[in-house]
Amino acid sequence: NLHKTVANTDNMDATANDVAGAQYPSYDEDEAMFAEFLKEHTILTTVNNATDEIDDVDDEDLMLEPTAEGKQLVRRTTCYPPHLQRIKNREPINNSHQKTYIVEVPLSELVVWDAVRGLDLARRATMNATRYHELFCKVIDSVLSKMQVTGGGGRLGGSSSARDSIDVLMEQRQAQQEARQAEVQNNANNLGDDVNGPLGGGGLENDAAVLGAGNGPGSTATEELPALLMRRYELRVLPLRRPGVFPPFDVQFRDNDSSHYVSSGSSAIPAVSLRQIRSRAMGHLVTVSGMIVRASDVKPACTVATYTCDACGCEIYQVVHNKREFLPQRLCPSTDCQKQTKHGDTLHLQTRGSKFIKFQELKLQELPNQVPMGHVPRSLTVHCRGELTRLASPGNEVTIDGVFLPQRVAEGGYRAMKAGLVTTTFVEAQNIIVHKKSYDDSISESLAEEERAKLEEQIREIATGDDPVGTLSSAIAPEIFGHEDIKRALLLQLVG
């Protein structure tokens, strides 16, 4: 019996470990897998001037793919390294409306790269989009830091005059950090027995402030330079079956006959209505469709707040993770200030050294055909950042890919205390597709020939009837009895 109990316990432990491994993935392994994907993934592109290239270069060097007789010649090219090299060189962007480099990660390309590991990574990225968005940015930053600037046409092609103010400011910050680290190291080598200051005990009367209680829980203030401060690109994670449109995917060859590229090239993604998004979709990458009813002005949003300490002169950085408001830091976390027996509000926000991005808030509403009879259309807030701003205006019918997230009513104060645990929801946009056609045109084109002919016949019957105004007004709010005059007035207001 003892042996059976031990065996059963071992089986339960193994099952628990398997369940834990399924619930909590290894982010280090996923990070290494995505780095391998960036290095190895290839895409199909068409061959321009095919005759000259084939005469000069061998087929193995061209990496030509077999195609049918008379079809366009295609070849495999590396996907991300050339684009990342252009970002490293800071080459000019061809699109005049685009101010920032855009790096797209279509999850379908992960499946094309590896049907097993890539599919698992794509599923985990879909279920935990925010966490994997940061993981992908971390890997791309690591790859860019290892690249060398190559000459020939780039903004940094061997000319020091091509540097901008951000480069000069970063060099100054790095020099100050190295000087402070050297000074701290020298002080540590020459430190005596009294390591806690003249009063001893490390200033116990203000230990709470030193430990960061005055900066709020989860304080992110640090002296280290955050990677977000020097990030010169925007990462967009696209859901499965959504193709990329920016380089290098703007020249990608997609053949519907190829089984490997059906999911990658197809754009027929079923977009759900707002009332179909439930709590189980929290944190997931979702695709919603609707109509824009309100758009705010584009305003700068702080992503990295920079502070300067009046006491020690250190520069402190606070990363603001996609928040509408944040609590500014008050106390300096540097070692010199922590040794002081008296602490005060020595940090001051430096607007010039902080980083701001464009921010716009959209209000998305359900389409008329998505609202059940007698119900009120639902709406959802959409946050657009960077190059996703100014893409949609009120009245546009759009399809939005984004992350469904909760949002606190307020970070602090009476509003937060009154709201309690209640939060609102929003979508952090990753991709916006604006349908150029009007709503009526999109509805008519989605109908079959028979349904369209039937619709035209009904319109003709109403137009040639005895009382077309009365017939149309009776279709307004049919669940409300009577009020014919009010309905006629509403109809005349609608049609002008």
Side-chain angles (χ1 to χ4, degrees), residues 100-118:
T100 309
Y101 295 100
I102 296 177
V103 179
E104 290 181 320
V105 181
L107 297 182
S108 295
E109 298 297 329
L110 288 170
V111 182
V112 174
W113 169 67
D114 194 318
V116 179
R117 296 190 303 160

Side-chain angles (χ1 to χ4, degrees), residues 57 78 81 126 172 183 190 198 293 302 375 383 431 453 480 488:
V57 187
T78 54
T126 304
Q172 182 182 3
E183 183 179 358
N190 301 328
V293 295
C302 181
H375 288 245
H383 290 176
N431 184 41
I480 300 177
R488 284 175 179 266

Side-chain angles (χ1 to χ4, degrees), residues 49-70:
N49 299 326
T51 305
D52 297 337
E53 292 189 8
I54 291 177
D55 293 340
D56 298 338
V57 187
D58 295 337
D59 293 349
E60 296 181 357
D61 297 335
L62 276 175
M63 298 179 65
L64 293 175
E65 289 288 317
T67 55
E69 184 70 23

Side-chain angles (χ1 to χ4, degrees), residues 372-438:
M373 182 66 68
H375 288 245
V376 178
R378 296 186 181 182
S379 59
L380 181 66
T381 303
V382 179
H383 290 176
C384 304
R385 303 177 189 273
E387 298 299 326
L388 288 174
T389 58
R390 296 191 178 95
L391 291 182
S393 57
N396 292 139
E397 181 187 351
V398 297
T399 300
I400 297 178
D401 304 323
V403 188
F404 186 59
L405 294 172
Q407 182 182 20
R408 296 180 59 183
V409 177
E411 294 295 331
Y414 176 74
R415 291 179 57 198
M417 181 179 62
K418 184 179 179 180
L421 299 178
V422 178
T423 61
T424 59
T425 56
F426 71 99
V427 170
E428 187 70 32
Q430 295 288 323
N431 184 41
I432 298 179
I433 301 175
V434 180
H435 303 286
K436 302 297 183 182
K437 303 172 184 177
S438 63

Side-chain angles (χ1 to χ4, degrees), residues 233-418:
Y233 65 89
E234 294 180 8
L235 178 65
R236 298 181 185 178
V237 181
L238 305 182
L240 290 169
R241 301 176 61 187
R242 178 75 71 195
V245 296
F246 291 94
F249 301 104
D250 57 340
V251 295
Q252 184 180 13
F253 175 78
R254 301 183 181 95
D255 188 4
N256 294 330
D257 298 334
S258 177
S259 59
H260 295 283
Y261 285 88
V262 168
S263 60
S264 177
S266 176
S267 60
I269 301 178
V272 299
S273 62
L274 301 184
R275 63 183 63 241
Q276 293 177 345
I277 300 180
R278 302 297 182 180
S279 60
R280 60 177 177 270
M282 196 68 66
H284 292 194
L285 192 61
V286 297
T287 300
V288 294
S289 62
M291 182 179 296
I292 303 297
V293 295
R294 188 170 69 247
S296 67
D297 296 333
V298 178
K299 300 178 181 179
C302 181
T303 57
V304 179
T306 304
Y307 303 89
T308 301
C309 180
D310 293 340
C312 64
C314 291
E315 205 168 38
I316 309 302
Y317 308 98
Q318 179 187 9
V319 180
V320 183
H321 294 283
N322 296 338
K323 295 182 180 179
R324 294 295 304 274
E325 56 186 20
F326 68 99
L327 185 64
Q329 300 294 322
R330 300 191 304 108
L331 303 179
C332 181
S334 64
T335 307
D336 296 339
C337 289
Q338 289 183 9
K339 292 180 180 179
Q340 301 295 329
T341 57
K342 295 182 180 180
H343 295 270
D345 298 348
T346 60
L347 291 182
H348 296 279
L349 181 64
Q350 300 294 329
T351 306
R352 182 176 176 272
S354 303
K355 182 177 181 180
F356 296 86
I357 61 173
K358 295 181 291 184
F359 175 81
Q360 186 181 27
E361 184 176 299
L362 303 177
K363 185 67 71 173
L364 185 69
Q365 192 180 74
E366 287 181 309
L367 295 174
N369 61 346
Q370 297 175 345
V371 182
M373 182 66 68
H375 288 245
V376 178
R378 296 186 181 182
S379 59
L380 181 66
T381 303
V382 179
H383 290 176
C384 304
R385 303 177 189 273
E387 298 299 326
L388 288 174
T389 58
R390 296 191 178 95
L391 291 182
S393 57
N396 292 139
E397 181 187 351
V398 297
T399 300
I400 297 178
D401 304 323
V403 188
F404 186 59
L405 294 172
Q407 182 182 20
R408 296 180 59 183
V409 177
E411 294 295 331
Y414 176 74
R415 291 179 57 198
M417 181 179 62
K418 184 179 179 180

Side-chain angles (χ1 to χ4, degrees), residues 170-186 223-225:
M170 286 302 300
E171 291 180 0
Q172 182 182 3
R173 287 171 174 171
Q174 292 176 355
Q176 291 177 354
Q177 263 196 352
E178 293 176 357
R180 284 199 300 269
Q181 292 176 358
E183 183 179 358
V184 169
Q185 185 66 27
N186 294 333
E223 297 183 64
E224 299 295 332
L225 290 172

